Amino acid sequence: KLIESERTAAVLSKEKRRKTTWTRLIQLGRGLSRMNPGKWIDDLEEDQQLADRLEEMNNENAQEEERKAICRKAQDACLQALVEHLNSFLEEYPKALYEDR
């Protein structure tokens, strides 16, 4: 009888493991059925569009900074040319006013 009860316990244990495994598989299947790959793809496409727009804006900002740097350099060059012109005028006519010329 002891061997029979051990066999019965083994069979019951095996059956319990089978049911537990089956239950887990059902739960996994239910979880997978709730997933929406189409929504994931849509979300990823939206994220990519946003990333593309941000990259475009960064490029525009970089170009604007380059334009501003060129303008600053041109302004500095103009100011330097003006200063040189005025200095040469003052060297040539130390007592004159610029309006006199």
Side-chain angles (χ1 to χ4, degrees), residues 85-101:
H85 173 71
L86 292 175
N87 284 336
S88 68
F89 176 82
L90 289 175
E91 285 175 11
E92 192 172 338
Y93 307 100
K95 294 185 181 189
L97 299 174
Y98 190 74
E99 290 84 15
D100 293 342
R101 272 315 260 163

Side-chain angles (χ1 to χ4, degrees), residues 13-47:
S13 176
K14 187 176 182 180
E15 186 64 29
K16 184 177 179 181
R17 283 194 309 265
R18 191 178 310 154
K19 284 182 181 179
T20 301
T21 302
W22 184 249
T23 301
R24 287 182 183 162
L25 286 174
I26 290 172
Q27 290 171 346
L28 178 62
R30 287 179 184 154
L32 289 174
S33 70
R34 282 185 238 133
M35 292 182 189
N36 187 350
K39 171 106 172 73
W40 292 349
I41 291 170
D42 290 343
D43 290 346
L44 288 172
E45 287 174 351
E46 286 178 22
D47 291 347

Side-chain angles (χ1 to χ4, degrees), residues 2-87:
L2 183 60
I3 293 176
E4 258 184 60
S5 67
E6 285 177 0
R7 284 185 188 165
T8 304
V11 168
L12 289 175
S13 176
K14 187 176 182 180
E15 186 64 29
K16 184 177 179 181
R17 283 194 309 265
R18 191 178 310 154
K19 284 182 181 179
T20 301
T21 302
W22 184 249
T23 301
R24 287 182 183 162
L25 286 174
I26 290 172
Q27 290 171 346
L28 178 62
R30 287 179 184 154
L32 289 174
S33 70
R34 282 185 238 133
M35 292 182 189
N36 187 350
K39 171 106 172 73
W40 292 349
I41 291 170
D42 290 343
D43 290 346
L44 288 172
E45 287 174 351
E46 286 178 22
D47 291 347
Q48 185 60 50
Q49 289 173 355
L50 177 61
D52 292 344
R53 180 63 185 131
L54 290 173
E55 182 179 6
E56 183 180 323
M57 290 170 68
N58 283 338
N59 289 337
E60 290 172 1
N61 288 340
Q63 290 173 356
E64 182 64 22
E65 288 302 315
E66 287 176 24
R67 284 190 288 273
K68 287 180 180 179
I70 290 169
C71 285
R72 282 190 300 273
K73 189 174 179 180
Q75 288 172 340
D76 291 344
C78 287
L79 184 60
Q80 184 61 35
L82 182 61
V83 167
E84 288 172 7
H85 173 71
L86 292 175
N87 284 336

